Amino acid sequence: MTFEPGCRNNWHIHHAKSGGGQLLICTAGEGWYQEEGKPAVSLTPGAVVTIPAGVKHWHGAKADSWFSHIAVEIPGDACSSEWLEPVDNESYGKL
């Protein structure tokens, strides 16, 4: 997946009865990953993020950089994704 500068996805959760979650493998540019209630983490090529099922999070490009990652859905039982509210411009602008 490739994000243009400033592009990010909405907050979302990958649900699973067991197993599940997501793995991000950063391949180009610079981006952000953030879990609800935690500071955002800077992502650069080679970074790997393991996201357990049930964790509310978002990811996307930094304001001044293109960003690409491979997103792998982890196998599990009764997996689904729940898309939530956008990351607000004020919070994103403070990164």
Side-chain angles (χ1 to χ4, degrees):
M1 174 177 287
T2 298
F3 297 84
E4 65 184 20
C7 182
R8 66 266 188 193
N9 54 28
N10 285 11
W11 287 96
H12 58 285
I13 303 170
H14 303 284
H15 296 284
K17 194 175 210 178
S18 65
Q22 187 177 47
L23 180 74
L24 303 179
I25 303 165
C26 306
T27 59
E30 293 187 24
W32 294 110
Y33 166 77
Q34 186 174 21
E35 293 181 4
E36 183 177 45
K38 296 184 179 180
V41 176
S42 179
L43 301 176
T44 56
V48 176
V49 179
T50 302
I51 308 163
V55 173
K56 184 176 177 181
H57 67 283
W58 68 271
H59 35 99
K62 290 190 176 180
D64 60 353
S65 178
W66 286 81
F67 176 63
S68 295
H69 66 56
I70 298 168
V72 179
E73 297 299 315
I74 306 300
D77 294 322
C79 293
S80 65
S81 294
E82 178 183 7
W83 291 96
L84 304 164
E85 72 277 6
V87 176
D88 67 89
N89 289 333
E90 183 179 346
S91 297
Y92 181 80
K94 292 178 182 178
L95 299 175

